[in-house]
Amino acid sequence: MRIVVTGTGGASGYAVALQAEQLGYEVLWADADPLCPALLANSPRARLLPPASEGGAYLEALAKAAKDFGAGCVSFNTDAEVRYAAHETETLSELGLTQWIPSPETVRVCSDKAEFARRLSGDPRFRTPLSYSADDLRAGPLPAAGVFVKTRSGSGGTDSMVCSSRPELDAWLARHPDGLVQEVLTGQEFSADCLYTGADLPLVVTRRRLRTRSGMSTVTETFHHPRLEQLVAGLLRELRVVGPSCVQGFLQPDGIVLTEVNVRFGGGCAAAFWGTTHLVEQYLALLTSNERKLPEGLHGQRSFTTTVLVRVPGYTTFQAGPETKEPTTSTESTTSTESTTSTESTTCTESTTSTESTTSTESTTSTESTTSMESTTSMEPRTGEE
């Protein structure tokens, strides 16, 4: 089975493309960046696409790339592509391309952080960060912890920061007059990788975001939190977020706060194991078969192991000319620790590449020996999204 995977210069697209190849799919690696390491490392099976903002030119290039490669399915893995494709599902189907995207209305709500907060504000089940208006801020001093500012759309924590003084806040608002100004959250940050068919119960794998870099999880650890998983599942059903998604928020001392939903897998989705299978594996099976029904009994197969994913930069030097050798790749390892309800542990290894020649390795250990490996050959994603 052949498939086009877009956004392979980002963490989520890279993870989907890599796992698809490991599962036996023939993958066309696509991206809008001509210097994307994933395209350079996979040049026989790579295609440069225009940005989704070019509309018809993007769709034409995507259709031609899929036809030339002989692919009948496409996996969209950037926010801009999902927003565009949500309005073009009929055209994509007419072109013979199977895709799995929520409705344009769902994508609109999830792509706009202000609209997401407004949409949930009247539902007592879901709590979002406290937001401040310009009048609130003019009425008195900033909160002692400052305020957290972020743009209404975009990924990777683009231009998000804590402002602790009014001049700092004024300068940020001058750049983003319609930006969000919210309370500073200090609890444990989490992501939840999800897969929802619209009929079955959603599959939800929650992760602690132990370390982030430009909004992307560089160290993440899965954990089992029944109340959080039920809340996330309820959110997906409420907003009808079918297909893959990544829900983010904070575990505050006084409750769970939801901050956003990405209508695609998160960059740390390589850790989203579900028993002996994986969320990306199930997604690809449903996407390529054009079915929207999970295998019977799958929900009861989760083993609740803890998987730690560590993304440490590695480096590869590409040589120009006829004497080019196979690139040498660094390694990194991540180890899962066993939970009380499982008899296995999982080791998930991911490596990345750059155009320099330094190598970095980090590893953790476990007392069990069941291992699942992931290796890659791309430098850190340029988009830095979760």
Side-chain angles (χ1 to χ4, degrees):
M1 174 65 73
R2 297 191 169 192
I3 181 174
V4 178
V5 179
T6 72
T8 54
S12 57
Y14 194 93
V16 171
L18 181 66
Q19 188 151 109
E21 286 200 337
Q22 292 176 338
L23 292 168
Y25 295 91
E26 295 184 66
V27 177
L28 181 66
W29 298 64
D31 200 85
D33 181 2
L35 298 180
C36 166
L39 300 191
L40 298 176
N42 298 281
S43 55
R45 296 167 288 106
R47 180 64 64 93
L48 179 67
L49 296 177
S53 58
E54 294 191 13
Y58 168 79
L59 186 61
E60 181 180 351
L62 175 63
K64 185 178 187 306
K67 182 178 180 181
D68 292 346
F69 189 64
C73 298
V74 58
S75 171
F76 295 102
N77 293 281
T78 71
D79 296 331
E81 289 171 318
V82 170
R83 285 195 299 268
Y84 175 76
H87 294 274
E88 300 292 341
T89 53
E90 290 187 7
T91 302
L92 288 165
S93 297
E94 291 171 359
L95 292 169
L97 290 176
T98 300
Q99 74 290 319
W100 195 4
I101 302 173
S103 70
E105 174 61 15
T106 294
V107 173
R108 183 187 71 83
V109 171
C110 294
S111 298
D112 186 331
K113 297 177 179 65
E115 180 61 21
F116 172 76
R118 188 202 65 78
R119 175 70 170 76
L120 298 183
S121 62
D123 194 323
R125 294 174 297 170
F126 308 115
R127 174 184 165 191
T128 58
L130 175 65
S131 295
Y132 301 99
S133 67
D135 290 339
D136 294 333
L137 298 173
R138 280 193 291 265
L142 297 183
V147 292
F148 186 74
V149 293
K150 59 185 178 183
T151 57
R152 291 182 61 162
S153 61
S155 60
T158 305
D159 216 2
S160 298
M161 60 183 291
V162 174
C163 293
S164 55
S165 68
R166 191 168 297 279
E168 193 174 31
L169 175 62
D170 290 342
W172 189 89
L173 288 173
R175 298 195 306 273
H176 306 286
D178 65 341
L180 274 72
V181 182
Q182 298 180 327
E183 64 177 316
V184 175
L185 300 171
T186 58
Q188 174 64 63
E189 191 172 4
F190 71 84
S191 289
D193 297 303
C194 312
L195 185 63
Y196 179 40
T197 65
D200 304 284
L201 290 172
L203 300 181
V204 178
V205 178
T206 50
R207 297 184 278 110
R208 297 182 183 92
R209 302 183 71 187
L210 302 180
R211 180 179 297 164
T212 59
R213 186 175 181 179
S214 299
M216 179 184 68
S217 295
T218 56
V219 182
T220 188
E221 175 187 63
T222 63
F223 68 106
H224 181 40
H225 190 306
R227 182 164 167 263
L228 174 59
E229 291 160 9
Q230 291 169 9
L231 183 69
V232 169
L235 176 67
L236 300 179
R237 290 195 293 264
E238 175 66 25
L239 298 180
R240 299 294 299 171
V241 187
V242 297
S245 62
C246 180
V247 178
Q248 293 178 251
F250 287 80
L251 298 175
Q252 293 290 100
D254 59 346
I256 299 169
V257 180
L258 302 170
T259 56
E260 63 182 279
V261 178
N262 298 305
V263 191
R264 52 167 174 76
F265 281 120
C269 68
F273 288 93
W274 190 277
T276 58
T277 185
H278 193 283
L279 262 60
V280 174
E281 179 180 1
Q282 292 302 316
Y283 160 67
L284 291 170
L286 296 176
L287 173 67
T288 55
S289 66
N290 205 21
E291 294 185 3
R292 301 295 181 261
K293 180 71 175 175
L294 292 170
E296 187 174 352
L298 181 62
H299 283 87
Q301 295 177 13
R302 187 175 179 185
S303 57
F304 301 118
T305 55
T306 296
T307 303
V308 180
L309 175 66
V310 181
R311 184 179 290 111
V312 183
Y315 303 88
T316 293
T317 300
F318 292 95
Q319 299 176 344
E323 296 183 357
T324 299
K325 298 179 181 180
E326 290 293 324
T328 57
T329 310
S330 74
T331 62
E332 43 179 284
S333 66
T334 64
T335 306
S336 72
T337 56
E338 185 180 17
S339 72
T340 58
T341 58
S342 171
T343 58
E344 298 182 1
S345 67
T346 307
T347 301
C348 183
T349 301
E350 179 174 343
S351 67
T352 58
T353 67
S354 174
T355 55
E356 300 182 18
S357 58
T358 310
T359 301
S360 174
T361 303
E362 179 173 336
S363 65
T364 60
T365 61
S366 170
T367 57
E368 300 289 333
S369 59
T370 303
T371 304
S372 173
M373 303 291 288
E374 176 177 351
S375 65
T376 70
T377 54
S378 167
M379 89 162 90
E380 291 206 16
R382 69 178 191 288
T383 53
E385 80 268 9
E386 168 57 39

